[in-house]
Amino acid sequence: MWDLFTREFLAEGTRLRVTGAAAGVVEAELDGASRSFRADGGEAFAEALRGAGTDVVARSLTVQSTSAENSSVVVYAECTVGGESVWGVGLHSDESDAAVRAIASAVNRASR
């Protein structure tokens, strides 16, 4: 079950790949081009992507902590991408980074 979930939601996509995030800047590859986005969190990242021509709106972000032993955060993002309702998931030790990855997950799932 975990393998299926990982392939569907957590695997790197081909349309949008987050390569780093720190201090309100997200480094990513969008459609094969390296880009820097000013964004601190998922909703800001979705807004920055819209400014770059990607039709994505973060409708809802839900945060869930994982077990205390690995201290990761899971963010589930309900997005509208190109008029289609799509879910994405991000997993990271930082909540803001997990939210950014959840938005990227939704964009990638919509492009399949």
Side-chain angles (χ1 to χ4, degrees):
M1 188 61 108
W2 176 251
D3 291 340
L4 176 63
F5 180 83
T6 299
R7 279 193 309 272
E8 185 64 29
F9 291 100
L10 300 177
E12 281 191 7
T14 56
R15 171 116 200 264
L16 177 59
R17 187 170 73 89
V18 176
T19 57
V25 176
V26 177
E27 300 293 333
E29 290 179 11
L30 176 61
D31 296 325
S34 294
R35 304 284 305 259
S36 292
F37 298 96
R38 292 211 168 275
D40 189 19
E43 291 174 346
F45 186 49
E47 184 176 327
L49 288 170
R50 280 194 308 281
T54 300
D55 183 15
V56 58
V57 176
R59 296 288 178 205
S60 172
L61 297 173
T62 302
V63 180
Q64 178 181 354
S65 296
T66 61
S67 66
E69 57 196 43
N70 75 7
S71 68
S72 290
V73 176
V74 178
V75 174
Y76 304 94
E78 179 184 9
C79 298
T80 301
V81 182
E84 177 186 359
S85 181
V86 184
W87 284 87
V89 178
L91 176 66
H92 198 272
S93 59
D94 179 79
E95 183 177 324
S96 180
D97 285 0
V100 164
R101 289 169 185 348
I103 299 297
S105 170
V107 169
N108 287 321
R109 291 187 72 236
S111 69
R112 293 186 205 159

